[in-house]
Amino acid sequence: GDRIVVKVGTSTLIRQNSKINLEVIKELAHVLSTLKKDGKDVVLVSSGAIGVGMGVLGIDKRPIKISKQQAVAAVGQAELMQIYNEAFHEYGMSVAQMLITRDIIDYPESHTNVMNSFQELMSMDNAIPIVNENDTVTVSELDHHTKFGDNDQLSAIVTNLVDADLLIMLSDIDGFYSANPLKVPDAHLIDSINKINPDIIAAAGGHGTKYGTGGMTTKLKAAELILKHNQQMVLTNGKNPDVIFNILSGDAVGTLFS
Ligand code: ADP
């Protein structure tokens, strides 16, 4: 397709030792810049603000208090964007920070404004929009009035909004398995899913790492939104972001939801 959204998860961006995975970010910048130069419209949805903030502030455990999470995210978001900006500058690209909230769904004016911004940014030759939820404004994980819930669903909503052909979701696992491979060692990769039925939902276990958040449950919710809009989503491992080139050239990679 000509318009793609890429979502990168915390577990891909942050190493187990709390250090940011610069190699992944540099490669992501290379791949997305190349696609952009090829004339594709590219939007990146990036998690990682809390994880990066924890590293910057020297915090070991993800804070439980929402206000603390918001503060840590605010620190991490600035650091993360600086790192992305440097990485993309190598390829002559600048990054555009788009911090959004559920308002873009609930309020027509906000919806129009964000659509205009996306449109304008995508028409530029050298700007890559990087989207995240505005953590300091959204109140709590449970407050559905303001919060998307997580970046998995946010990335699906963005894919719907900008009418992209494809959402590529990069995680720390090769795709969707018949069960959580951390718990069920002989679980197998499912290469194609056309419907999110109760069996599939039951196969989604918890999250894998101390930094990961939604696990597969939120990825399935995202996939549901994608299927509802007749769009496609590929879930795969982000450890080598040039896998995006393989996906776009039609190789069977990870799990295809279509
Ligand atoms: P991210 O930070 O990329 O959003 P998460 O840690 O939230 O990643 O989710 C990925 C994790 O989900 C995997 O590492 C895996 O442990 C877990 N998981 C649970 N159930 C499944 C399943 N059925 N197939 C694949 N992974 C699963």
Side-chain angles (χ1 to χ4, degrees), residues 7-13 47-48 150-152 169-183 187-190 200-220 235-236 238 255:
K7 186 258 171 180
V8 59
T10 305
S11 53
T12 302
L13 294 170
S47 297
D150 57 85
N151 275 347
D152 291 331
M169 205 175 270
L170 301 177
S171 186
D172 64 345
I173 190 141
D174 292 346
F176 190 83
Y177 282 72
S178 52
N180 186 353
L182 288 184
K183 294 183 185 132
H188 65 273
L189 183 93
I190 303 176
I200 298 286
I201 292 169
H207 56 77
T209 67
K210 68 170 166 172
Y211 294 110
T213 45
M216 286 300 137
T217 308
T218 53
K219 290 176 183 55
L220 290 182
L235 169 66
T236 192
T255 302

Side-chain angles (χ1 to χ4, degrees), residues 2 33-40 245:
D2 281 318
S33 302
T34 305
L35 295 177
K36 184 79 188 164
K37 285 174 190 167
D38 282 355
K40 296 214 189 318
F245 290 136

